[in-house]
Amino acid sequence: MKNILVTRSSMPSYEEYCEEIKELWESHWLTNMGVKHQKLQDELEKKLDVPHVILYTNGHLALENILAAMNLPKGSEVITTPFTFASTTHAIVRNGLVPVFCDINEEDYTIDVSKIESLITDKTSAIVPVHVYGNICNVKEIERIANRYELKVIYDAAHAFGVEYKGKNVASLGDASMFSFHATKVFNTIEGGAICFKDDSLVQILNDMKNFGIHGQESVVFVGGNAKMNEFQAAMGICNLRHIDDEVKKRKKAVEHYRLRLSDINGIILCDYQKDVKSNYAYFPVVFDEKKFGSSRNEVFVALNNAGIGARKYFYPLTSSFECFHNSYAAATPIAMYISNRVLTLPLYADLSIDDVDRICDVILSLGKK
Ligand SMILES: *Cc1c(COP(=O)(O)O)cnc(C)c1O
């Protein structure tokens, strides 16, 4: 039987992509904000219903740059969660800021807003919450806290492309939101990312940061780096954007079948659909309670692997326990620890067949208590 990978990148047809990049052979304009870059940026501003989209060569550099653009005092504290991809915490630390880890909640694994205020000190400058798995944080409460203590809010929305909250795209939440367009994400530009925001005054500084601060052939006004999205990435994005609604619909079908098979099983915990949220079906996390289910997360992981099925311990370990941080930012986050030790994300992509979902669920259910 063929192997099932944990993810499979969405791609346009070969012909569609070739058609899109054809004019690059005529223009020889391969990067530096060419026509494809401009087109994708315009289309995303429409699609995400946000005044400004600045494209990046990847999501991580986008997050590093927007944190730098906020001018937070060096050494100040940024409240975030450890239940995320390395990028979130690394972007904070690489900016000379100190991550202060807040626990997550048990319902949707986003930041536990009831625990934020007790972590605020006179050194706190910002909150970096994560819409983990595409689950939307309690944005109302985060906004209230941020206003009260005058903190910046930068959302790591890497998982949340296309998600809507109360009928509005999440791209305009907070001071800014970072999206990743990495090959493994719901919408991809091979590698890529973007910062979305409303504040006009951020446009110039982000463009300076991603292109050496160059304003003209003889004018360099800012010590920026290089993080530009190239024309081939943008062309992939233009093609993938044409099909994104269909791709999400196909993901939805797979998720609904997973839910049908795995709901109401003793010891298997699924995230509920969130109220007022239109999902993008980015991931399918499953938490295994060994005592009730009969097998541990690690046992399920091994059994799936032996059956040729890739699943991921996503997110394990917590970023706070990465060896590169030498316990510098140790914090008590018991819920994050609990979930991290028990969660698996199951294979999910637009072309995952219902038969494959059944095959995956059969392996999992065979490990449960009889
Ligand atoms: C993918 C991801 C990123 C970084 O995005 P890249 O485009 O891979 O640099 C940041 N945060 C989270 C939560 C992610 O999953």
Side-chain angles (χ1 to χ4, degrees):
M1 241 188 290
K2 73 170 174 34
N3 287 350
I4 303 174
L5 300 178
V6 70
T7 186
R8 188 164 183 269
S9 300
S10 290
M11 290 171 83
S13 73
Y14 176 70
E15 290 74 22
E16 183 179 350
Y17 186 65
C18 288
E19 189 56 37
E20 194 64 46
I21 60 175
K22 207 169 175 183
E23 65 186 278
L24 304 178
W25 262 262
E26 286 144 27
S27 66
H28 286 241
W29 188 300
L30 308 184
T31 186
N32 285 25
M33 285 69 80
V35 291
K36 301 297 172 188
H37 182 285
Q38 187 61 43
K39 183 166 182 218
L40 180 62
Q41 184 180 304
D42 292 346
E43 288 183 0
L44 286 174
E45 284 172 358
K46 258 187 237 130
K47 179 89 188 165
L48 303 180
D49 190 21
V50 65
H52 302 291
V53 171
I54 305 283
L55 298 176
Y56 273 83
T57 193
N58 61 54
H60 178 76
L61 286 172
L63 188 57
E64 275 199 24
N65 278 6
I66 186 63
L67 282 171
M70 289 288 124
N71 271 323
L72 309 173
K74 283 278 172 253
S76 67
E77 296 172 354
V78 175
I79 296 174
T80 186
T81 52
F83 189 68
T84 182
F85 184 56
S87 171
T88 321
T89 308
H90 284 8
I92 293 167
V93 174
R94 287 169 59 81
N95 267 291
L97 303 165
V98 178
V100 172
F101 290 110
C102 184
D103 210 351
I104 59 174
N105 71 64
E106 274 177 278
E107 286 73 47
D108 56 29
Y109 316 144
T110 63
I111 193 164
D112 183 343
V113 289
S114 73
K115 294 183 182 152
I116 294 177
E117 282 184 278
S118 66
L119 296 172
I120 294 176
T121 70
D122 53 9
K123 287 196 190 139
T124 309
S125 59
I127 311 175
V128 176
V130 184
H131 297 311
V132 68
Y133 303 133
N135 290 341
I136 300 310
C137 300
N138 184 338
V139 295
K140 268 261 140 13
E141 185 60 10
I142 290 169
E143 187 178 312
R144 184 193 68 77
I145 294 168
N147 286 340
R148 175 158 180 207
Y149 297 91
E150 293 180 31
L151 305 174
K152 298 288 185 189
V153 178
I154 309 299
Y155 282 104
D156 180 334
H159 295 179
F161 187 87
V163 178
E164 290 176 14
Y165 176 62
K166 294 193 169 164
K168 180 113 181 72
N169 197 285
V170 298
S172 43
L173 292 169
D175 290 283
S177 294
M178 177 278 290
F179 291 88
S180 166
F181 306 150
H182 184 258
T184 55
K185 302 299 202 295
V186 169
F187 167 73
N188 86 77
T189 60
I190 310 171
E191 292 260 7
I195 298 289
C196 299
F197 52 93
K198 294 179 284 198
D199 179 0
D200 299 339
S201 73
L202 284 171
V203 174
Q204 192 62 62
I205 181 72
L206 288 171
N207 280 323
D208 285 345
M209 284 180 169
K210 79 174 198 185
N211 189 29
F212 305 107
I214 294 174
H215 277 210
Q217 288 197 20
E218 299 183 9
S219 168
V220 178
V221 303
F222 182 83
V223 192
N226 178 8
K228 302 184 297 289
M229 176 181 282
N230 70 49
E231 291 291 278
F232 290 80
Q233 292 172 287
M236 184 63 114
I238 290 165
C239 294
N240 279 333
L241 200 56
R242 288 187 194 117
H243 308 288
I244 187 73
D245 294 342
D246 280 343
E247 296 287 287
V248 170
K249 264 185 217 141
K250 286 156 87 185
R251 285 174 172 271
K252 178 172 189 233
K253 282 213 172 109
V255 166
E256 282 171 350
H257 199 65
Y258 269 131
R259 285 187 176 276
L260 190 71
R261 297 287 316 270
L262 300 178
S263 293
D264 304 318
I265 306 288
N266 201 16
I268 288 190
I269 301 142
L270 308 179
C271 280
D272 282 338
Y273 287 120
Q274 290 184 296
K275 199 171 159 281
D276 298 325
V277 171
K278 182 168 164 254
S279 175
N280 64 354
Y281 308 93
Y283 297 89
F284 194 72
V286 179
V287 169
F288 295 94
D289 177 342
E290 181 178 359
K291 285 200 196 82
K292 289 186 189 154
F293 183 62
S295 296
S296 69
R297 181 272 304 271
N298 288 350
E299 286 163 345
V300 176
F301 177 80
V302 169
L304 286 170
N305 256 288
N306 290 341
I309 297 163
R312 272 186 77 187
K313 297 178 193 178
Y314 198 63
F315 296 97
Y316 174 88
L318 297 177
T319 65
S320 50
S321 57
F322 285 173
E323 50 263 53
C324 57
F325 298 136
H326 308 288
N327 284 321
S328 312
Y329 313 119
T333 56
I335 308 292
M337 184 78 91
Y338 181 95
I339 300 299
S340 178
N341 284 330
R342 288 165 183 77
V343 73
L344 272 187
T345 54
L346 301 182
L348 181 58
Y349 43 87
D351 289 333
L352 182 69
S353 71
I354 298 301
D355 284 350
D356 281 348
V357 174
D358 275 325
R359 194 177 130 199
I360 296 159
C361 294
D362 289 345
V363 173
I364 293 171
L365 293 172
S366 74
L367 299 166
K369 279 187 181 153
K370 298 293 169 317

